[in-house]
């Protein structure tokens, strides 16, 4: 039986990505990529409660020769993905004769600089601060409003409460919850975008890639709609096609996504905060009326 996995194995964490295709291991950190042939690896084990893969190279090379610490540590944001990754490496190692000096086989190369991005924490922080400021302004205005105006606000609340609650529930159900599932137990494999499903609403537009990929156990899937949207400037089907890493839920492979995008994260934060602000506004108005 071949030691080659059914699909390229990938584990990611903030600032680090590791890939294994059955023959070699690639490790990317910041602006550096290391290539480690399979025969350079002596052993593989899981550490830190299964969230980190530790690899020992053969021989007695020095860390300065290639820049990787010994043993080589590969962190993962998902313990299950780390387990599958280490299992695939061990299975491949069982059928491969190790080299005498694996350190000498490791190569490294510099990667081009990538444009700076706002982190997910920074985006959510900005959205939450904006939302809470809006809530404070609303509370201040409502608490000082005359009784006649508050009575008129009941008509507004009859519209804002269901709208705000609906937007908030929809954002949690279709955006936040799938992202949490994929972050907690998702596996990442190479795939490709085969087309797009476009949602239009007035002047806004969201495009969801259709994904084709093969799971770790060798099952192929076609035209799976990504739960993460991308920015597509035109109606051209060729606008989003090509190779992409796909993260899928092994318990439900129809739940899959391409990589995180700024547009999707921005829409998620904006819709969540918008729904929460409308809901809080409605509750505040009703509360003030009940206490007067």
């Amino acid at each position: 039986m071949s030691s080659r996995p059914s699909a390229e194995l990938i584990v990611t964490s903030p600032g680090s990505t590791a890939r294994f295709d059955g023959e070699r291991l690639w490790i990317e950190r910041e602006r550096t990529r290391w290539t480690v042939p399979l025969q350079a690896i002596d052993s593989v084990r899981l550490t830190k409660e299964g969230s980190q893969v530790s690899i020992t190279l053969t021989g007695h090379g020095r860390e300065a020769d290639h820049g990787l610490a010994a043993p080589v540590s590969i962190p993962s944001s998902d313990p299950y993905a780390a387990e599958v990754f280490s299992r695939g490496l061990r299975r491949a190692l069982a059928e491969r004769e190790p080299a005498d000096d694996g350190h000498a086989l490791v190569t490294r190369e510099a990667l081009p600089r990538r444009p700076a991005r706002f982190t997910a924490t920074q985006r959510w922080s900005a959205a939450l601060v904006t939302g809470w400021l809006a809530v404070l302004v609303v509370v201040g205005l409502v608490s000082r409003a005359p009784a006649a105006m508050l009575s008129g606000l009941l008509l507004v609340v009859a519209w804002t409460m269901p709208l705000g609650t609906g937007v908030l529930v929809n954002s949690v159900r279709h955006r936040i919850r799938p992202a949490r599932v994929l972050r907690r137990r998702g596996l990442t494999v190479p795939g490709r975008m085969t087309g797009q499903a476009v949602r239009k609403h007035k002047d806004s537009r969201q495009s969801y890639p259709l994904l084709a990929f093969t799971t770790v156990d060798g099952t192929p899937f076609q035209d799976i709609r990504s739960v993460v949207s991308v920015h597509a400037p035109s109606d051209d089907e060729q606008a989003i096609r090509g190779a992409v890493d796909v993260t899928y839920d092994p318990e439900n492979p129809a739940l899959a996504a391409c990589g995180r995008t700024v547009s999707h994260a921005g829409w998620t934060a904006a819709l969540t905060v918008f729904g929460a602000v409308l809901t809080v506004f409605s509750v505040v108005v009703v509360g003030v009326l009940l206490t007067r």
Side-chain angles (χ1 to χ4, degrees), residues 2-12 17-28 34-41 44 53 55 74 81-96 188-190 214 216 245:
S2 173
S3 62
R4 185 181 179 88
S6 300
E8 183 177 296
L9 304 176
I10 305 172
V11 291
T12 61
T17 300
R19 303 169 182 269
F20 177 62
D21 69 348
E23 297 292 335
R24 60 190 60 81
L25 170 69
W26 291 277
I27 302 173
E28 293 185 12
W34 289 270
T35 302
V36 183
L38 181 61
Q39 59 267 30
I41 301 174
V44 181
V53 181
I55 296 174
I74 302 175
E83 178 186 351
V84 172
F85 190 84
S86 63
R87 190 190 310 150
L89 275 172
R90 285 195 293 266
R91 187 183 300 118
L93 285 176
E95 301 181 7
R96 186 62 55 90
T188 304
V189 295
T214 301
V216 170
D245 288 343

Side-chain angles (χ1 to χ4, degrees), residues 64-137:
D65 293 338
H66 46 66
L68 285 174
V72 180
S73 295
I74 302 175
S76 174
S77 300
D78 180 2
Y80 181 64
E83 178 186 351
V84 172
F85 190 84
S86 63
R87 190 190 310 150
L89 275 172
R90 285 195 293 266
R91 187 183 300 118
L93 285 176
E95 301 181 7
R96 186 62 55 90
E97 188 69 26
D100 294 332
D101 186 6
H103 290 271
L105 300 179
V106 177
T107 60
R108 67 177 178 181
E109 61 180 310
L111 299 176
R113 183 183 298 275
R114 296 177 180 176
R117 283 185 174 182
F118 290 107
T119 64
T121 301
Q122 291 172 329
R123 290 192 295 268
W124 273 104
S125 297
L128 289 174
V129 168
T130 302
W132 279 114
L133 287 176
V135 169
L136 291 176
V137 171

Side-chain angles (χ1 to χ4, degrees), residues 56-282:
T56 302
L57 303 179
T58 61
H60 302 283
R62 298 177 303 168
E63 175 184 337
D65 293 338
H66 46 66
L68 285 174
V72 180
S73 295
I74 302 175
S76 174
S77 300
D78 180 2
Y80 181 64
E83 178 186 351
V84 172
F85 190 84
S86 63
R87 190 190 310 150
L89 275 172
R90 285 195 293 266
R91 187 183 300 118
L93 285 176
E95 301 181 7
R96 186 62 55 90
E97 188 69 26
D100 294 332
D101 186 6
H103 290 271
L105 300 179
V106 177
T107 60
R108 67 177 178 181
E109 61 180 310
L111 299 176
R113 183 183 298 275
R114 296 177 180 176
R117 283 185 174 182
F118 290 107
T119 64
T121 301
Q122 291 172 329
R123 290 192 295 268
W124 273 104
S125 297
L128 289 174
V129 168
T130 302
W132 279 114
L133 287 176
V135 169
L136 291 176
V137 171
V138 168
V139 171
L141 293 175
V142 171
S143 62
R144 290 174 172 79
M149 181 179 294
L150 289 176
S151 299
L153 285 176
L154 281 176
L155 296 176
V156 178
V157 169
W159 175 77
T160 58
M161 181 167 284
L163 174 62
T165 304
V167 171
L168 185 60
V169 170
N170 183 74
S171 180
V172 171
R173 182 177 180 181
H174 297 290
R175 290 174 173 271
I176 297 177
R177 184 181 295 171
R180 291 187 62 185
V181 169
L182 293 178
R183 185 165 58 248
R184 186 175 67 251
R185 65 175 184 234
L187 296 179
T188 304
V189 295
R192 68 182 187 279
M193 298 182 186
T194 59
Q196 60 179 314
V198 180
R199 284 186 176 181
K200 295 181 180 179
H201 179 68
K202 295 182 179 179
D203 295 331
S204 66
R205 168 194 176 92
Q206 289 179 282
S207 297
Y208 293 83
L210 299 178
L211 305 173
F213 60 94
T214 301
T215 61
V216 170
D217 62 7
T219 305
F221 285 85
Q222 294 284 335
D223 294 333
I224 300 298
R225 180 180 175 276
S226 172
V227 296
V228 173
S229 62
V230 298
H231 173 69
S234 71
D235 292 318
D236 185 3
E237 274 287 322
Q238 301 296 326
I240 44 177
R241 287 180 181 269
V244 67
D245 288 343
V246 177
T247 301
Y248 71 94
D249 178 10
E251 297 183 10
N252 177 25
L255 177 60
C258 56
R260 299 175 184 175
T261 65
V262 175
S263 61
H264 183 79
W267 272 106
T268 300
L271 290 173
T272 303
V273 172
F274 175 74
V277 167
L278 285 186
T279 303
V280 172
F281 166 78
S282 304

